[in-house]
Amino acid sequence: KVCRVFMRKRRAVENHIGTVHALAMGNLCELAAGMCTEVTIPVGMRWIPRGMTIEYLAKAETDVTATARLDKTEWTGAENVAVPVTVTDNHGKEVVRAVISMYVSPPKDA
């Protein structure tokens, strides 16, 4: 599955130099990865983010789009799953690269 999340560059997400703030980018990556995980895992399974590695590659001076990919199709039980996310600006330039570690498991009472 591929999930895309768009974020408009506006004052609420800007830093002191007028670009999209690093924390806003991290939140965007986590949102995209969470959406992708939610639509990929089987009904009845649950997920929670466990960690994130993130690289800030360039200043984001425009609106940005995060793209998360999760191609896993076999789900057997509790496991950590890495969800890669890329963030690009309006010009298609990659400004952030992240991997969100999701813990996916059956419900506690299963």
Side-chain angles (χ1 to χ4, degrees):
K1 304 266 190 228
V2 175
C3 297
R4 288 188 175 86
V5 180
F6 174 80
M7 184 169 65
R8 186 164 308 283
K9 181 180 177 277
R10 60 190 194 286
R11 183 66 194 125
V13 297
E14 289 179 359
N15 57 21
H16 65 286
I17 59 173
T19 61
V20 180
H21 199 285
L23 291 177
M25 295 282 216
N27 287 341
L28 181 66
C29 289
E30 189 174 337
L31 174 63
M35 287 177 53
C36 204
T37 303
E38 183 68 28
V39 300
T40 304
I41 62 174
V43 173
M45 303 246 339
R46 62 187 184 163
W47 59 271
I48 189 165
R50 276 235 170 128
M52 176 188 325
T53 58
I54 191 164
E55 297 174 80
Y56 300 99
L57 307 171
K59 293 177 185 176
E61 298 175 339
T62 68
D63 301 341
V64 291
T65 302
T67 304
R69 299 181 186 282
L70 185 52
D71 297 323
K72 186 170 175 56
T73 57
E74 297 294 320
W75 302 91
T76 56
E79 62 184 303
N80 284 314
V81 177
V83 182
V85 182
T86 59
V87 180
T88 55
D89 66 12
N90 281 353
H91 310 292
K93 181 179 181 181
E94 187 178 22
V95 294
V96 169
R97 185 179 307 138
V99 177
I100 313 297
S101 176
M102 297 291 193
Y103 182 69
V104 178
S105 64
K108 198 173 192 175
D109 56 355

